Amino acid sequence: MMRKFDEKNYTWDGVDTLVYKADGSPFKDVTRQVLFDGAFDIPCQFRYFEVKPGGYSTLEYHEHTHMVMIFRGHGQCLLGDEIKNVKVGDFIEIPSHTIHQFRANKGDYVGFLCLVNKDRDKVKLLDDTQMAELMAKPHIKAFLESC
Ligand code: MN
């Protein structure tokens, strides 16, 4: 199967642009496109997420692993207690139980491809204690308040 890429709109033929998450978790200006929804021998989903300038993905953690490759623009990502600048081509492995978030806080889109197991645990949000621990670190506070 071939799905042609539209480089103006960052969409693919026949792929719907969906709401990022429908579970009510907090995020801003993020869309989801599912490019591959698993096959018998590859029980994975391959998605493209796009964060508009000023937007951010959910601040979360979970047992399952993500593999991410930045495909559009640049911004920052929180991984554990590190903030990393990200740009097209960067590859990020998000290990199990690691808090993460992507922010389009550098005046540009951040679009990324993400490979994930189809069978995976539910996303966990941070509780007040975890949030307070993060906000106690000035570099992380600055990141979380950056847009
Ligand atoms: Mn995640």
Side-chain angles (χ1 to χ4, degrees):
M1 185 199 295
M2 170 84 184
R3 296 195 185 281
K4 295 298 281 185
F5 177 59
D6 176 344
E7 61 255 78
K8 232 192 203 132
N9 297 307
Y10 280 76
T11 56
W12 286 263
D13 280 351
V15 178
D16 293 329
T17 300
L18 307 168
V19 173
Y20 164 55
K21 277 184 178 146
D23 63 1
S25 59
F27 64 88
K28 187 180 169 211
D29 290 339
V30 188
T31 56
R32 169 172 56 103
Q33 296 177 67
V34 179
L35 298 170
F36 177 75
D37 199 23
F40 77 97
D41 57 340
I42 309 178
C44 295
Q45 283 187 329
F46 191 53
R47 300 91 50 89
Y48 175 67
F49 295 101
E50 194 169 84
V51 188
K52 283 200 184 107
Y56 48 84
S57 65
T58 305
L59 180 64
E60 64 181 34
Y61 64 102
H62 35 69
E63 185 174 33
H64 62 271
T65 305
H66 288 306
M67 281 195 279
V68 168
M69 183 167 271
I70 307 297
F71 189 71
R72 178 177 191 177
H74 64 291
Q76 289 189 315
C77 112
L78 166 67
L79 194 58
D81 56 10
E82 284 188 279
I83 311 295
K84 297 179 186 297
N85 292 320
V86 296
K87 61 162 176 27
V88 173
D90 288 344
F91 177 80
I92 302 137
E93 182 180 329
I94 301 169
S96 191
H97 300 297
T98 304
I99 293 169
H100 55 282
Q101 185 182 55
F102 288 86
R103 284 191 175 251
N105 56 359
K106 298 288 177 187
D108 196 0
Y109 285 78
V110 177
F112 54 94
L113 296 162
C114 179
L115 182 69
V116 75
N117 203 306
K118 266 203 90 147
D119 181 18
R120 58 186 182 272
D121 65 313
K122 261 186 76 178
V123 162
K124 294 190 186 79
L125 303 180
L126 278 63
D127 63 24
D128 291 347
T129 308
Q130 289 170 306
M131 202 62 204
E133 275 173 29
L134 276 190
M135 291 302 265
K137 296 169 186 168
H139 69 296
I140 295 182
K141 185 172 192 289
F143 168 79
L144 293 174
E145 292 174 347
S146 62
C147 59

